[in-house]
Amino acid sequence: MVRVKFRYLLGHVRWQTTTKMNSLDISGIYHYLKNSVKLNFGEYAICRLGWTLNVKQYNPLTGLFIVRCSRSQMRQVWLSLTLLDEINSQKCAISIIHSAGTIRSCNLQAIKHTNSSLLVAKSLIQIKNEKEKYQKKKNKKKKNKKKKNKYLPNTQVKKNKSKK
Amino acid sequence: MFIELDFQDNGKQSNYQAISTLAQLGYDGVVFSRTINDVITKNDICTFKELDLKELDQNENSSFKNLSSLTLMKNEKKQFRQYSRLNIIISSKKNIFLLKKMENILKTYDIVAVFPQSTEIFEKCIELPTIDIISFDLSLKYLIKIKYKQVNKAIINGLFFEIRYSSMFKTKQSQARKNTFSNAINVVKYTKGKNLLIASGANDPINLRGPYDVMNMATFFNIPFNQAKNILTANSESVISHGVMRKTYFGVIKVEDKKKIPKELEESTDEDEDEDKNKEEIEIEKEEMMIEKIKKPIILIQK
């Protein structure tokens, strides 16, 4: 049957200074988003969006949020998000990572986005430890260096186990 | 393979911040730029040095901002490329001859761009061989008068036209945002999407946007979807190759400094000496193996 279809946009907020914006809420983002759509595309665009415009999730620690809009107005909402400059008199920048038809696929992409940055933090510690171990092994190998002879046949030094 | 084509050079620390944000957004290369008004002198030689990304590991603590840049250093083959660029603003007819005369100074930069301020200057800039890009100041109210014939001549010679989107982020001056939209649509109309570039002439790394956001912005400039991705990937690399050919002597010979030779070619001389050493060591080891056999005879025990 006829069904209203939506698009869910996954976005990432980036601040100029690293002060913690604990006062920012879902309603705050909705208020600034609506103003930017009004500024760039006019009141007709807001009337066409209507009740479908909504902010579903927002995480102040990582800066990820999910926005819902109707399928025909996705590009206009996208542009109004990129042109958003100030929130609560602080400068910010928004970049959109993924657009999907369901919230579930957006959440899966959010997990991948944070995993890639967590892996780096873990792997850096591992890389440092591995490098130290590798350098220690190299220093030991140089003392007891035995090169293989390419020109001689395979000479196997047999070690016989003496049974008593 | 996205490359950011214009970012102003303000010292080491701002450049490090820019590289870390760009790697987080998904870019693979940067071009650092510098602006000049009218006159080119001998003091304008390129003093740009590539930044060592390995210093980021040692000096700064691993914060959330710089993590993405460190991912690139894990894969050492995939390096973050850096280039240099010059922007020249020309406002009088008398200074056009300097672009031909000061050829050796312009050859020290990777990319050279020109900002003509009138139609007469625009006509003469088309036939110059020492230029890569022609771009405009889009925040003004009235753009230069462009004609179809002149644009087609420039495309045959291999020049590129450019749009800059950093002037849209000045919220206190709302007139600048309106002018950039109307002027950018005008530029796209005359070029018909050929030999176009999109860049951001930004001072702060906050005014940078990701590549897919820029492609979405290009659809509102009446650029079709198919060309929008080609503009960011293929055209940006062809500009750099155009700059490389500009430095050569008619495309035949290229002269480089000794320091720019990669280390792999210098180390090849050492490998020849190692091969000579191996022969001597092999003879010594042969004797050692024989001696060991005598010292440790093989003993077999029958069950």
Side-chain angles (χ1 to χ4, degrees):
Chain A
M1 287 297 292
V2 176
R3 202 167 23 141
V4 183
K5 297 196 176 177
F6 302 111
R7 282 285 178 267
Y8 294 93
L9 298 169
L10 210 185
H12 177 64
V13 180
R14 208 169 78 226
W15 303 98
Q16 195 179 26
T17 57
T18 55
T19 57
K20 294 186 179 179
M21 300 284 289
N22 286 323
S23 62
L24 194 69
D25 251 354
I26 287 172
S27 61
I29 295 177
Y30 178 76
H31 178 254
Y32 283 100
L33 208 173
K34 209 172 179 183
N35 280 336
S36 71
V37 173
K38 196 178 187 181
L39 204 159
N40 290 315
F41 292 101
E43 293 182 359
Y44 172 69
I46 289 177
C47 298
R48 215 174 150 174
L49 276 173
W51 58 273
T52 57
L53 185 68
N54 201 358
V55 177
K56 288 288 185 182
Q57 296 173 10
Y58 172 61
N59 192 354
L61 281 175
T62 57
L64 296 172
F65 63 93
I66 294 176
V67 168
R68 180 187 75 180
C69 64
S70 61
R71 200 175 56 172
S72 58
Q73 304 292 321
M74 187 188 81
R75 298 259 166 197
Q76 294 179 8
V77 171
W78 191 336
L79 211 171
S80 60
L81 278 172
T82 57
L83 295 178
L84 227 176
D85 249 5
E86 287 187 13
I87 292 177
N88 283 344
S89 70
Q90 281 203 7
K91 290 198 176 178
C92 67
I94 293 175
S95 66
I96 289 182
I97 298 162
H98 191 64
S99 70
T102 58
I103 294 181
R104 189 189 292 174
S105 57
C106 276
N107 282 326
L108 288 173
Q109 281 288 324
I111 290 167
K112 283 186 187 177
H113 185 257
T114 51
N115 266 344
S116 61
S117 57
L118 284 175
L119 274 176
V120 171
K122 277 186 192 175
S123 60
L124 282 174
I125 298 166
Q126 283 180 2
I127 283 172
K128 274 187 186 177
N129 293 333
E130 283 175 4
K131 272 186 182 176
E132 291 171 0
K133 283 183 188 175
Y134 186 66
Q135 283 177 359
K136 282 181 186 175
K137 280 185 184 176
K138 254 191 175 178
N139 292 328
K140 283 184 185 176
K141 273 188 180 177
K142 280 182 182 175
K143 294 176 185 176
N144 302 326
K145 211 174 189 182
K146 287 185 181 179
K147 286 190 180 179
K148 287 184 182 178
N149 279 321
K150 295 180 185 178
Y151 298 99
L152 287 177
N154 289 328
T155 57
Q156 295 178 0
V157 177
K158 293 182 182 177
K159 291 184 183 177
N160 289 314
K161 297 178 184 177
S162 61
K163 291 188 180 178
K164 289 185 180 177
Chain B
M1 293 296 295
F2 299 106
I3 296 174
E4 173 59 49
L5 276 174
D6 197 351
F7 189 83
Q8 294 186 11
D9 191 358
N10 287 327
K12 256 192 177 182
Q13 287 187 356
S14 67
N15 287 347
Y16 274 131
Q17 282 181 10
I19 286 172
S20 62
T21 53
L22 285 168
Q24 206 172 12
L25 290 171
Y27 284 96
D28 291 320
V30 191
V31 179
F32 290 109
S33 71
R34 203 189 136 193
T35 57
I36 286 175
N37 278 319
D38 272 335
V39 181
I40 305 169
T41 60
K42 289 182 184 178
N43 297 325
D44 295 330
I45 290 176
C46 177
T47 59
F48 173 72
K49 292 179 186 175
E50 289 188 1
L51 301 173
D52 271 334
L53 294 176
K54 292 182 183 179
E55 290 181 7
L56 275 175
D57 248 344
Q58 297 166 6
N59 290 334
E60 290 181 293
N61 297 322
S62 64
S63 58
F64 192 75
K65 285 183 187 176
N66 294 326
L67 284 175
S68 57
S69 63
L70 301 171
T71 57
L72 294 172
M73 277 145 36
K74 268 168 64 179
N75 302 326
E76 287 180 357
K77 295 178 185 177
K78 195 181 181 185
Q79 290 179 356
F80 200 83
R81 302 188 282 173
Q82 300 167 29
Y83 300 101
S84 62
R85 172 177 161 156
L86 222 188
N87 295 331
I88 306 168
I89 301 172
I90 296 178
S91 56
S92 69
K93 261 198 286 184
K94 298 175 185 177
N95 293 320
I96 294 173
F97 77 97
L98 282 172
L99 288 170
K100 285 185 188 175
K101 192 179 174 184
M102 299 292 193
E103 197 174 337
N104 292 323
I105 292 169
L106 294 178
K107 280 188 179 181
T108 56
Y109 291 92
D110 290 327
I111 297 174
V112 174
V114 168
F115 288 75
Q117 300 281 332
S118 68
T119 53
E120 294 168 341
I121 297 166
F122 178 70
E123 287 178 13
K124 294 190 181 180
C125 289
I126 287 165
E127 297 170 351
L128 288 171
T130 59
I131 278 172
D132 291 326
I133 298 173
I134 297 174
S135 60
F136 311 99
D137 192 3
L138 295 177
S139 63
L140 301 175
K141 194 173 183 184
Y142 294 112
L143 242 192
I144 300 165
K145 268 191 182 178
I146 305 173
K147 297 182 185 178
Y148 280 109
K149 284 186 182 178
Q150 293 168 0
V151 168
N152 286 330
K153 269 188 197 176
I155 288 168
I156 288 165
N157 285 335
L159 296 177
F160 289 86
F161 294 92
E162 197 188 34
I163 295 170
R164 300 169 107 198
Y165 64 83
S166 73
S167 57
M168 278 205 261
F169 298 119
K170 300 177 184 176
T171 52
K172 293 183 180 178
Q173 302 171 13
S174 65
Q175 198 71 23
R177 184 179 287 185
K178 296 177 194 174
N179 289 333
T180 50
F181 264 114
S182 63
N183 290 331
I185 291 167
N186 214 4
V187 169
V188 171
K189 193 175 86 172
Y190 283 100
T191 59
K192 296 178 187 174
K194 286 185 200 176
N195 286 15
L196 257 182
L197 298 171
I198 299 178
S200 82
N203 261 322
D204 279 328
I206 265 201
N207 292 330
L208 291 168
R209 296 290 186 265
Y212 293 103
D213 295 330
V214 173
M215 278 182 349
N216 183 44
M217 199 190 286
T219 58
F220 287 93
F221 296 153
N222 293 333
I223 295 171
F225 290 103
N226 300 325
Q227 290 182 9
K229 192 164 186 182
N230 274 332
I231 282 169
L232 288 175
T233 57
N235 280 352
S236 57
E237 290 192 3
S238 59
V239 167
I240 290 166
S241 62
H242 188 274
V244 167
M245 293 305 289
R246 178 174 56 82
K247 286 184 184 180
T248 62
Y249 183 76
F250 293 101
V252 176
I253 294 173
K254 188 180 178 183
V255 177
E256 276 187 353
D257 288 333
K258 235 184 185 180
K259 295 176 187 176
K260 287 186 184 178
I261 296 171
K263 290 181 183 178
E264 294 174 353
L265 294 174
E266 290 179 355
E267 286 175 357
S268 65
T269 57
D270 292 328
E271 287 176 359
D272 293 328
E273 295 178 30
D274 284 332
E275 287 176 0
D276 292 327
K277 281 185 185 175
N278 280 327
K279 291 180 184 176
E280 294 176 354
E281 286 181 355
I282 286 162
E283 293 174 359
I284 293 167
E285 285 180 2
K286 278 185 192 177
E287 295 175 354
E288 287 179 355
M289 288 292 286
M290 297 300 288
I291 293 166
E292 284 178 359
K293 277 188 180 177
I294 295 166
K295 281 187 181 176
K296 297 179 186 177
I298 296 167
I299 299 169
L300 293 174
I301 296 172
Q302 290 182 355
K303 288 185 180 178

